[in-house]
Amino acid sequence: MRIFRLGLSTRIALTMLLALLLMAGLNAATFFLLPRPDATVYSAHWLISHVNEAAKAIFGAGVAQRQIIAERLTNESKLDINWQPSAPPRPRDENLTIYMTRLQSSLREALSGTAKSISIEMRGRPHGGPGDEPREFVPEGFDRELPTGPLTSVEPDIPIFDGFSIAVEGQDGSWIRVEPHRPEFLTPFLRPPVITAVGAIILISALSIWTAKRSLRPIDQLVVAAQRIGIERQASPIDTRGLGDFVVIGDAINEMQNRIKGFIDERTQMLAAISHDLRTSLTRLRLTSEELPESEAKDSLIKNMEEMEQMVSATLTFAGDDLKRERSERVDIAALLITICDSFSDTGARTEYAGPDHLFAVCQPIAIKRAFVNLVDNAIKYGGSAHIELQTVQDAIRVVIKDEGPGIPTELVERAFRPFSRLEQSRSRETGGVGLGLAIARDIVSAHGGTINLGMRPEGGLEAQLRLPIVQTSVRA
């Protein structure tokens, strides 16, 4: 949509303007299209008669029967009649219309021997009619000539609109409260002001949420892209076409990814070149040393050159794998682990597999096999055995490799993952290796979007937990 090509401040201003226009339209629709609630109009003579009958029936009965009689009279009329043994808040006899003033006078006259006092309160504004009349009279002062006393039997009836509350105090101090019949539960909420207020809240909330999500969606894309940096080896350029105001940030992240990848590739190529040249020189030294006469010095020299050759070979392999990544494909992880277990068992190592017979994941087959082999090989070399467990955890697989060795102290775990790092405190150099096994394993697992952690087992030994996504969002190359 073209609106989302505008600036963020412009979109917010347009959203607020649209919300105001829709609120105005909603307000007009509720007041002009919805029917006004029906006003209940009571006959003054009828109201006086019912209040009089209710007061005499309730005050003339025993205390235990008064509320029952009030409920019965409520069901028989369109009035809500309640009896209260204690005095309620006394209604305010103020701002009464002329009709209400005459109603009060008539009730006092009709209940002069039954009630101690009578009060009337106007509650809110009635729905319409004379009860809603203004307080300005033209010509001025003619309202003082209108009758204000009690209604006579020969006088025409007058209308009493709803919105009143009549309180009648009995001689014993108890009270009767008479009010218009309350509407159904939801009726007050179906009035135009309530509908307008609720509709405005819903409308503004919906527009705000929708605009915020659409406007801040580019930030979510930038967060995902930033999280991929350091996991994926190849740069994953961000599509900046839909970023709007955040195009500059997207371009900066893309440039940063390219610089980081270029820096890593340059250093990796340098490491591979140096290792290759070292291997060539070591080969010439090895040939030259073979011509030397037999002696302890010759044996020591050859042994040192073999160790150096192992380090150079491991470095070349590490750098070569980093420069040339294989393509990802669907791999049966369970079958791969079973094969690795069988291969080590054939050499006399103690290995055990527990898990499903088949479990597939998208990964680089040779690389992930190398990571598993490195972990299993470490468990056998330094722990005497390898117990492998495979299980699924939500949308990922978890591989746990346990051994029975001395393990690695927690404070040295991170050091164990460093290239060419060997923990002399717990691992003898006679076992071989140049300290790249765990580094290569974590590098491969991280490239697949997974994690690898080492920890001590409560019963003794080391436990390596490897977690891989079953389906990756992109192929890491």
Side-chain angles (χ1 to χ4, degrees):
M1 297 176 61
R2 291 187 177 181
I3 186 174
F4 291 102
R5 298 178 184 175
L6 303 175
L8 182 59
S9 58
T10 304
R11 294 200 299 270
I12 293 176
L14 290 177
T15 301
M16 295 176 62
L17 178 60
L18 178 61
L20 291 175
L21 293 175
L22 292 177
M23 285 174 55
L26 177 63
N27 185 60
T30 53
F31 276 96
F32 290 103
L33 300 181
L34 289 181
R36 290 174 62 85
D38 294 334
T40 303
V41 184
Y42 295 89
S43 162
H45 286 300
W46 179 91
L47 192 58
I48 295 169
S49 173
H50 275 67
V51 173
N52 186 18
E53 292 177 3
K56 290 181 178 179
I58 293 174
F59 291 138
V63 175
Q65 298 295 320
R66 291 182 178 181
Q67 186 59 37
I68 298 176
I69 296 174
E71 293 177 357
R72 177 177 58 81
L73 293 175
T74 297
N75 295 330
E76 294 176 355
S77 65
K78 290 189 175 182
L79 295 172
D80 285 336
I81 302 174
N82 291 284
W83 174 79
Q84 299 175 351
S86 58
R90 190 178 185 87
R92 301 184 300 272
D93 295 335
E94 57 185 24
N95 298 325
L96 296 180
T97 64
I98 296 176
Y99 294 100
M100 287 299 178
T101 301
R102 300 202 66 188
L103 175 65
Q104 186 179 47
S105 300
S106 301
L107 287 172
R108 287 174 177 172
E109 181 181 89
L111 298 173
S112 58
T114 305
K116 184 186 297 186
S117 65
I118 297 174
S119 302
I120 297 180
E121 179 182 9
M122 297 294 294
R123 293 194 168 182
R125 295 175 63 88
H127 295 309
D132 201 23
E133 61 187 12
R135 292 297 182 266
E136 183 180 357
F137 296 90
V138 179
E140 183 179 358
F142 91 91
D143 57 302
R144 292 191 291 270
E145 300 176 1
L146 298 175
T148 58
L151 291 171
T152 62
S153 57
V154 296
E155 187 177 355
D157 204 348
I158 59 175
I160 302 297
F161 287 77
D162 58 5
F164 61 85
S165 177
I166 301 173
V168 181
E169 182 183 11
Q171 300 296 336
D172 59 352
S174 62
W175 287 76
I176 298 175
R177 185 174 292 278
V178 181
E179 298 175 342
H181 182 66
R182 295 185 182 90
E184 296 181 1
F185 176 71
L186 293 178
T187 301
F189 299 99
L190 298 180
R191 296 180 179 179
V194 178
I195 295 176
T196 301
V198 175
I201 293 174
I202 295 175
L203 185 63
I204 294 176
S205 300
L207 276 175
S208 300
I209 294 173
W210 180 72
T211 302
K213 286 187 175 181
R214 291 297 299 265
S215 299
L216 300 180
R217 185 179 298 173
I219 295 182
D220 295 335
Q221 298 176 6
L222 294 175
V223 170
V224 173
Q227 290 174 341
R228 288 201 304 264
I229 299 176
I231 296 178
E232 298 182 355
R233 292 295 173 153
Q234 294 293 340
S236 301
I238 303 173
D239 186 0
T240 60
R241 289 176 296 179
L243 294 183
D245 295 343
F246 306 99
V247 170
V248 177
I249 301 177
D251 291 336
I253 292 179
N254 287 339
E255 184 178 355
M256 179 183 66
Q257 291 187 79
N258 293 328
R259 288 181 178 178
I260 292 175
K261 184 178 184 304
F263 177 81
I264 293 175
D265 289 346
E266 180 182 349
R267 295 302 185 271
T268 305
Q269 289 173 355
M270 184 185 300
L271 178 62
I274 293 173
S275 299
H276 183 270
D277 292 342
L278 285 174
R279 170 179 275 183
T280 302
S281 299
L282 283 172
T283 302
R284 288 199 298 265
L285 285 174
R286 179 66 180 270
L287 294 175
T288 303
S289 64
E290 293 292 342
E291 299 176 357
L292 296 175
E294 296 294 334
S295 64
E296 292 184 2
K298 175 182 177 180
D299 295 337
S300 177
L301 179 61
I302 292 176
K303 183 177 180 181
N304 289 333
M305 284 190 295
E306 287 176 349
E307 290 181 359
M308 292 181 65
E309 188 174 1
Q310 289 179 3
M311 294 181 64
V312 171
S313 297
T315 303
L316 279 173
T317 303
F318 178 75
D321 289 345
D322 199 59
L323 289 172
K324 184 179 180 180
R325 295 276 174 174
E326 61 179 320
R327 297 185 60 181
S328 296
E329 58 185 62
R330 194 164 178 260
V331 178
D332 189 343
I333 301 296
L336 179 60
L337 290 174
I338 293 172
T339 302
I340 294 174
C341 277
D342 292 340
S343 298
F344 278 97
S345 296
D346 292 341
T347 63
R350 289 192 298 122
T351 60
E352 182 182 357
Y353 170 80
D357 294 333
H358 299 281
L359 182 57
F360 292 90
V362 178
C363 59
Q364 298 164 345
I366 298 176
I368 204 65
K369 179 180 179 180
R370 185 177 184 189
F372 290 148
V373 168
N374 286 355
L375 293 174
V376 175
D377 184 60
N378 279 352
I380 293 173
K381 282 182 179 179
Y382 309 118
S385 65
H387 177 76
I388 304 173
E389 296 178 0
L390 175 64
Q391 53 190 243
T392 58
V393 181
Q394 296 179 350
D395 57 346
I397 63 173
R398 184 172 65 180
V399 180
V400 180
I401 302 175
K402 305 176 183 178
D403 63 39
E404 300 174 358
I408 300 176
T410 305
E411 62 273 13
L412 297 178
V413 167
E414 189 60 31
R415 179 181 168 187
F417 282 111
R418 295 175 186 172
F420 305 107
S421 176
R422 293 178 54 84
L423 306 181
E424 298 297 341
Q425 296 90 335
S426 60
R427 306 209 171 191
S428 173
R429 193 170 183 84
E430 298 300 326
T431 56
V434 295
L436 279 175
L438 289 177
I440 293 174
R442 186 165 72 169
D443 182 73
I444 293 172
V445 172
S446 298
H448 284 75
T451 58
I452 180 172
N453 298 292
L454 301 179
M456 295 290 291
R457 300 171 59 194
E459 61 273 20
L462 186 69
E463 177 179 280
Q465 290 195 15
L466 186 150
R467 186 184 180 102
L468 285 173
I470 293 179
V471 178
Q472 302 171 50
T473 56
S474 63
V475 177
R476 281 125 174 123

